[in-house]
Structures are given as C-alpha cells and as structure tokens.
Amino acid sequence: MQSLKKFVFSIGIIQILIFTTIFFREENLSLLSYINNSFMYGGVLLFLGLWVFVVRTGVFDIFTISMRKAFRLKTTLENDEMRPPSEALGFSSSLLLVTGTVTLLLMVICLVIYGF
C-alpha cells in the first residue's frame, strides 16, 4: 500500500511539472505541447531508472576495482574500505522506471488521440 501511494504521488508530481513547464515556456495549452513535455520528462525518468538499474546490478564493480588496482595513487582509504558503485546507490530503480514508463504510456495515448 505504501508503494502505491509513492507511485500515485510521483505520477502526480510529474504531471504537475509537465503542466508547469507548459505554462512557464509560454506555450499554448494544447495536446501537442503536453505530448512534447511528457516525452521529455518520461524519457529522462526512464533513462535515469535504467542507469540506476545497470549500476545496481554490479556491472561497473569489476571495472572500478580493476581501475583502482591499475592506478594506485596515494590515498588515505584502502581498497577494502571503498564501496563499489552498486553499494553506493542506496535506492531502487523501480519507482523511476515505473513512473517514466507510465508517463511515456500517457504520452503515447495522447499521441494516438492527436493523430485522429
């Protein structure tokens, strides 16, 4: 139930940001301006969600560890004390992915309506 509240809240915030952007850019409130702005917000959210997902899977951990070994500099931290990137991100990517996907789905629905 808590995650549903976060999901609905994040969708609401994104929709408010979309309409605020339309008014601040001094565009006419039209279906086309909503489609353009929701594409930008949905795309950015989906990109960030995918980026967090890839980093949290541990793909860059091996690269980071090997770069630390290859370029040993005089540091105060030992290699064991430094956290890998997958542990450094403390949040899940699911909310970003779902919010971006729903925003893009709303954009596609509006695009189909605009096409008729």
Side-chain angles (χ1 to χ4, degrees), residues 15 17 19 42 53 63 65 68 70 74 78 81 83 96 99 107:
Q15 296 304 312
L17 282 173
F19 285 110
F53 177 75
F63 176 75
I65 291 169
R68 286 181 191 156
K74 295 180 182 180
E78 295 293 324
E81 293 177 7
R83 296 186 320 186
L96 289 171
T99 305
M107 186 260 325

Side-chain angles (χ1 to χ4, degrees), residues 12 22 55 99:
I22 290 171
V55 170
T99 305

Side-chain angles (χ1 to χ4, degrees), residues 58-101:
V59 171
F60 297 110
D61 290 350
I62 297 170
F63 176 75
T64 304
I65 291 169
S66 64
M67 286 296 112
R68 286 181 191 156
K69 288 181 182 179
F71 298 107
R72 287 195 188 220
L73 299 175
K74 295 180 182 180
T75 62
T76 57
L77 295 174
E78 295 293 324
N79 284 339
D80 297 336
E81 293 177 7
M82 298 177 83
R83 296 186 320 186
S86 62
E87 294 177 5
L89 290 175
F91 59 92
S92 176
S93 64
S94 62
L95 186 63
L96 289 171
L97 288 172
V98 170
T99 305
T101 303

Side-chain angles (χ1 to χ4, degrees), residues 1-20:
M1 192 66 174
Q2 186 71 10
S3 63
L4 182 64
K5 287 181 183 179
K6 284 183 183 179
F7 169 69
V8 171
F9 181 72
S10 64
I11 292 295
I13 292 295
I14 292 301
Q15 296 304 312
I16 290 170
L17 282 173
I18 289 170
F19 285 110
T20 305

